[in-house]
Amino acid sequence: MRQLILDLLPEVPPSLDNYVTGSNAEALTGLASWLAPVNREPVFFLWGEAGAGKSHLLQASQASYSDARQDPGLAAVNLQGTLHAIDNIEALDASGQVAAFNLINRLRADGGRLLAAASVPPLRLALREDLRTRLGSGLVYRLQPLSDPEKLAALAEQARARGLVLPAEAFNYLFARAPRDMRSLTALLIAIDRYSLEHKRPITLPLLREVLQSSLDF
């Protein structure tokens, strides 16, 4: 169901403003300060479990973005530019680790910067020692995933912003039946809004059931 729901989500570029902060205010503030042109700290490292928003923040940074899960050798990396981001850096293969190490050294020499993310902190990465040392030499922040109450609050705020009136039990109903990551929940909320408008019906539990079923049949 998750991919089918995501297919309904319009292309809204990730930004620092549309990141749902939760308990990550310190990390978000630190990243915003690091991204300022006057900052010359060469490495900023984010780590945390899936769903914490690491990829969102890396893509929001306006850096030259690479995903090591998709390109473990960093073969497609554009070496131009002074701001790079490598997501899922723990997935680098041997050649990718060499490329990342050389990239960091080049950025340090040229006054550039690297933003990296992984599921574990630098010292626990199963990567070559010199690369781990480079990645851990800068600012390191852990991102915490949103708790269920924080997701509910964020979803309720998004509903209010869209002018949606949902029955009190709607959010718990969706939580029990849909993927719980914020991207999927946001996509589902947009689908509910569209469905309600297209059919000129108020949002009720029967309507929510229809939207979920149409997502499955999409």
Side-chain angles (χ1 to χ4, degrees), residues 20 150-164 171 182 189:
V20 182
E150 287 172 334
K151 291 177 184 178
L152 282 169
L155 202 61
E157 179 57 35
Q158 290 181 18
R160 283 193 293 271
R162 298 182 70 88
L164 297 182
F171 296 113
M182 280 305 302
L189 192 67

Coordinates of all heavy atoms in Angstrom, one line a residue, residues 20 150-164 171 182 189:
V20 N 9.2 17.8 9.4 CA 8.5 17.8 10.6 C 9.5 17.5 11.7 O 10.1 16.4 11.8 CB 7.4 16.7 10.6 CG1 6.6 16.6 11.9 CG2 6.4 16.9 9.4
E150 N 3.5 12.6 18.2 CA 4.0 13.7 17.3 C 3.5 13.6 15.9 O 3.2 14.6 15.3 CB 5.6 13.6 17.3 CG 6.2 14.1 18.7 CD 7.7 13.9 18.7 OE1 8.2 13.0 18.0 OE2 8.3 14.6 19.5
K151 N 3.4 12.3 15.4 CA 2.9 12.1 14.0 C 1.4 12.6 14.0 O 1.0 13.2 13.0 CB 3.0 10.7 13.6 CG 4.4 10.2 13.3 CD 4.5 8.7 13.0 CE 5.9 8.2 12.8 NZ 5.9 6.8 12.5
L152 N 0.7 12.2 15.0 CA -0.7 12.6 15.1 C -0.9 14.1 15.1 O -1.7 14.7 14.4 CB -1.4 11.9 16.3 CG -1.8 10.5 16.2 CD1 -2.2 9.9 17.5 CD2 -2.9 10.3 15.1
A153 N -0.1 14.7 15.9 CA -0.1 16.2 16.0 C 0.2 16.8 14.7 O -0.4 17.8 14.3 CB 0.8 16.7 17.1
A154 N 1.3 16.3 14.0 CA 1.7 16.9 12.7 C 0.6 16.7 11.7 O 0.3 17.6 10.9 CB 3.0 16.2 12.3
L155 N 0.0 15.5 11.7 CA -1.1 15.2 10.7 C -2.3 16.1 11.0 O -2.9 16.6 10.0 CB -1.4 13.7 10.8 CG -2.1 13.1 9.6 CD1 -1.2 13.2 8.4 CD2 -2.5 11.7 9.8
A156 N -2.6 16.3 12.2 CA -3.7 17.2 12.6 C -3.5 18.6 12.1 O -4.4 19.3 11.6 CB -4.0 17.1 14.1
E157 N -2.2 19.1 12.3 CA -1.9 20.4 11.9 C -2.0 20.5 10.3 O -2.4 21.6 9.8 CB -0.4 20.7 12.3 CG 0.1 22.1 11.9 CD -0.9 23.2 12.4 OE1 -1.4 23.1 13.5 OE2 -1.0 24.2 11.7
Q158 N -1.5 19.5 9.6 CA -1.6 19.6 8.2 C -3.1 19.6 7.7 O -3.4 20.3 6.8 CB -0.9 18.3 7.6 CG 0.6 18.4 7.7 CD 1.3 17.2 7.1 OE1 0.7 16.5 6.2 NE2 2.5 16.9 7.4
A159 N -3.9 18.8 8.4 CA -5.4 18.8 8.1 C -6.0 20.2 8.4 O -6.7 20.7 7.5 CB -6.1 17.8 9.0
R160 N -5.6 20.8 9.5 CA -6.1 22.2 9.7 C -5.6 23.2 8.7 O -6.4 24.0 8.2 CB -5.6 22.6 11.1 CG -6.4 22.0 12.3 CD -6.1 22.8 13.6 NE -4.7 22.6 14.0 CZ -4.3 21.6 14.8 NH1 -5.2 20.7 15.2 NH2 -3.0 21.4 15.1
A161 N -4.4 23.0 8.3 CA -3.8 24.0 7.2 C -4.6 23.8 5.9 O -4.7 24.8 5.1 CB -2.3 23.7 7.0
R162 N -5.1 22.6 5.6 CA -5.8 22.4 4.4 C -7.3 22.6 4.6 O -8.1 22.5 3.6 CB -5.6 20.9 3.9 CG -4.2 20.6 3.6 CD -4.1 19.1 3.1 NE -4.7 19.0 1.8 CZ -4.0 19.2 0.6 NH1 -2.7 19.5 0.7 NH2 -4.6 19.1 -0.5
G163 N -7.7 23.0 5.8 CA -9.1 23.3 6.0 C -10.0 22.0 6.1 O -11.2 22.1 5.9
L164 N -9.4 20.9 6.4 CA -10.1 19.6 6.5 C -10.7 19.4 7.9 O -10.1 19.7 8.9 CB -9.1 18.4 6.2 CG -8.5 18.4 4.8 CD1 -7.6 17.2 4.7 CD2 -9.5 18.5 3.7
F171 N -7.9 9.8 12.8 CA -6.5 9.7 12.8 C -6.1 8.3 13.4 O -5.2 7.6 12.8 CB -5.8 10.8 13.6 CG -6.0 12.1 13.0 CD1 -6.7 13.1 13.7 CD2 -5.4 12.4 11.8 CE1 -6.9 14.3 13.1 CE2 -5.6 13.7 11.2 CZ -6.3 14.6 11.9
M182 N 5.7 9.6 7.8 CA 5.0 10.9 7.6 C 4.7 11.1 6.1 O 3.7 11.7 5.7 CB 5.8 12.1 8.2 CG 5.6 12.2 9.7 SD 3.8 12.4 10.2 CE 3.3 13.8 9.2
L189 N -3.5 11.9 3.4 CA -4.3 13.1 3.7 C -4.7 13.9 2.5 O -5.8 14.3 2.3 CB -3.6 14.0 4.7 CG -4.4 15.1 5.4 CD1 -5.4 14.5 6.3 CD2 -3.4 16.0 6.2

